[in-house]
Amino acid sequence: MQPPQPHYPPSADQGRRARVIIAVCTFRRNDLLRNLMRASLVAAAEARDRAAVGIIVVDDDPQAGARRVTLEFDGRFELGVHYRVSGRQNVSLARNLAIDDGAQLGDWVAMIDDDCEPTPRWLVAHLEAQELTGCDSTTGAMLLKAPPGAPAWLTDEPFYVDYIVAGKHLELVKATGTNNVMIRSAWLAAHPEIRFREDLGRSGGEDWVFFRTARKAGLDLRFSNDATVIGHESANRATWRYQIKNRFWLGNTEWRVGTIIKDRTHAGLLRRGVERLASSLVRLVRDLPRYHYSVANVARSVGFLAGAVGVRMPHH
């Protein structure tokens, strides 16, 4: 006997074209931003039967260096190209400006990072998942792409695999990141207290806290197998030094997020950190062919435990 299939309510947006605003925060990455906007035009064209699409770019550069890129796309999106300058070099402030202004312009805000490239069916996949489930938010995978000339150990070992947000198609997920998510504007308007925390805008982890807090507040966040974006890694990140530093920062940020979300007690977090360190050390001994990845995970565990003694590593 086949198990009963889940029943999802019809979407309130069925029967009319939705208004979708792509929201991008950027800081001095004009070539990547231009690539993203070109790919977004393709995604908008693929979704034209379902949605009218616009884009809002929030520039965290006080010199407004991304303005000239956005001007290249003036008139090419149905709902327009909207440019804002945050200029505070605090990504939380930039993200809040993007979602608040984006929510005023459309029914949905589709967040993506400036070093990402949406696949052609990106918006279609988000909209299909929403229509099938009636949810308030959808997410998908971000697949990292190594830069040309990257060392073999970076691509052969699973450095990029454990960054992928994973889930079963159309099912709930606990959290996601800003690199690939669509959220209902009405939900954002109904929850003005849930925004990216300014105090995390330079250290990082603001997206983890935002989405975990939103889930606790009832955000129905679903995963789509087809809503995929490609993340373009820069050459300066394809080094051993960067990977060790990044893993330490990642673990350190996980500690801080854990203390904010309070899913575990301080003792529980500490126990988790000790267990992870022990596990990563065992992996280092047992999995010598993946030496680089194993050492990087030791650094992540050390970064996590460093948070317990007050170490706060800023985003790099």
Side-chain angles (χ1 to χ4, degrees):
M1 180 182 294
Q2 293 291 325
Q5 296 299 306
H7 172 71
Y8 299 116
S11 167
D13 290 326
Q14 286 181 345
R16 72 173 180 87
R17 293 171 76 219
R19 297 173 301 146
V20 178
I21 300 297
I22 299 170
V24 186
C25 296
T26 190
F27 181 74
R28 298 176 182 174
R29 294 203 278 199
N30 284 356
D31 289 341
L32 287 169
L33 176 63
R34 184 177 291 107
N35 183 65
L36 182 156
M37 295 184 75
R38 287 172 178 161
S40 295
L41 280 173
V42 175
E46 288 283 329
R48 67 167 62 92
D49 292 338
R50 296 175 179 269
V53 179
I55 190 166
I56 183 169
V57 176
V58 177
D59 195 348
D60 213 13
D61 179 6
Q63 303 301 315
R67 186 186 302 275
R68 61 184 177 86
V69 176
T70 62
L71 287 174
E72 295 172 16
F73 294 85
D74 189 36
R76 301 183 67 183
F77 286 87
E78 185 174 351
L79 298 183
V81 176
H82 308 270
Y83 180 71
R84 307 284 189 270
V85 178
S86 176
R88 303 277 296 278
Q89 296 182 45
N90 182 307
V91 72
S92 290
L93 296 176
R95 295 200 199 287
N96 288 334
L97 179 58
I99 62 173
D100 286 339
D101 282 16
Q104 295 294 318
L105 296 165
D107 306 309
W108 296 91
V109 177
M111 285 183 273
I112 186 170
D113 289 347
D114 64 353
D115 57 353
C116 290
E117 176 185 347
T119 53
R121 295 194 75 257
W122 176 57
L123 290 175
V124 171
H126 276 294
L127 290 164
E128 285 180 344
Q130 189 280 324
E131 289 169 4
L132 287 169
T133 64
C135 64
D136 290 313
S137 188
T138 51
T139 189
M142 188 272 286
L143 307 178
L144 280 172
K145 182 178 180 181
W153 55 262
L154 185 61
T155 53
D156 293 345
E157 299 178 35
F159 279 93
Y160 292 164
V161 174
D162 59 7
Y163 275 90
I164 299 174
V165 173
K168 293 183 178 180
H169 190 50
L170 302 182
E171 292 193 359
L172 285 166
V173 292
K174 293 181 179 179
T176 187
T178 55
N179 52 48
N180 184 10
V181 65
M182 188 175 80
I183 187 166
R184 193 188 298 271
S185 298
W187 195 94
L188 290 169
H191 297 83
E193 76 285 359
I194 299 178
R195 291 297 185 268
F196 296 95
R197 287 179 49 146
E198 182 178 349
D199 61 325
L200 299 177
R202 290 188 175 91
S203 64
E206 78 291 337
D207 49 350
W208 298 351
V209 172
F210 177 91
F211 285 106
R212 291 187 188 184
T213 303
R215 283 286 292 117
K216 286 185 176 182
L219 179 69
D220 189 341
L221 175 62
R222 304 278 176 153
F223 186 82
S224 168
N225 284 345
D226 301 319
T228 303
V229 303
I230 306 301
H232 295 281
E233 284 284 74
S234 57
N236 67 336
R237 294 186 176 186
T239 67
W240 179 230
R241 178 182 176 85
Y242 174 85
Q243 292 300 327
I244 292 296
K245 185 178 180 181
N246 184 58
R247 292 288 163 149
F248 183 95
W249 167 82
L250 186 61
N252 192 243
T253 302
E254 285 179 302
W255 175 273
R256 189 173 187 187
V257 169
T259 61
I260 293 170
I261 298 300
K262 297 180 180 178
D263 287 335
R264 300 188 182 202
T265 64
H266 183 90
L269 286 170
L270 189 60
R271 182 167 56 252
R272 179 186 179 191
V274 171
E275 290 171 352
R276 284 176 56 174
L277 178 59
S279 176
S280 61
L281 288 170
V282 169
R283 178 184 293 176
L284 174 61
V285 174
R286 291 182 176 177
D287 197 8
L288 288 179
R290 298 199 297 184
Y291 166 82
H292 294 86
Y293 182 70
S294 298
V295 173
N297 278 330
V298 171
R300 183 173 179 172
S301 300
V302 172
F304 188 89
L305 289 171
V309 294
V311 174
R312 297 291 181 267
M313 183 178 181
H315 203 8
H316 46 284

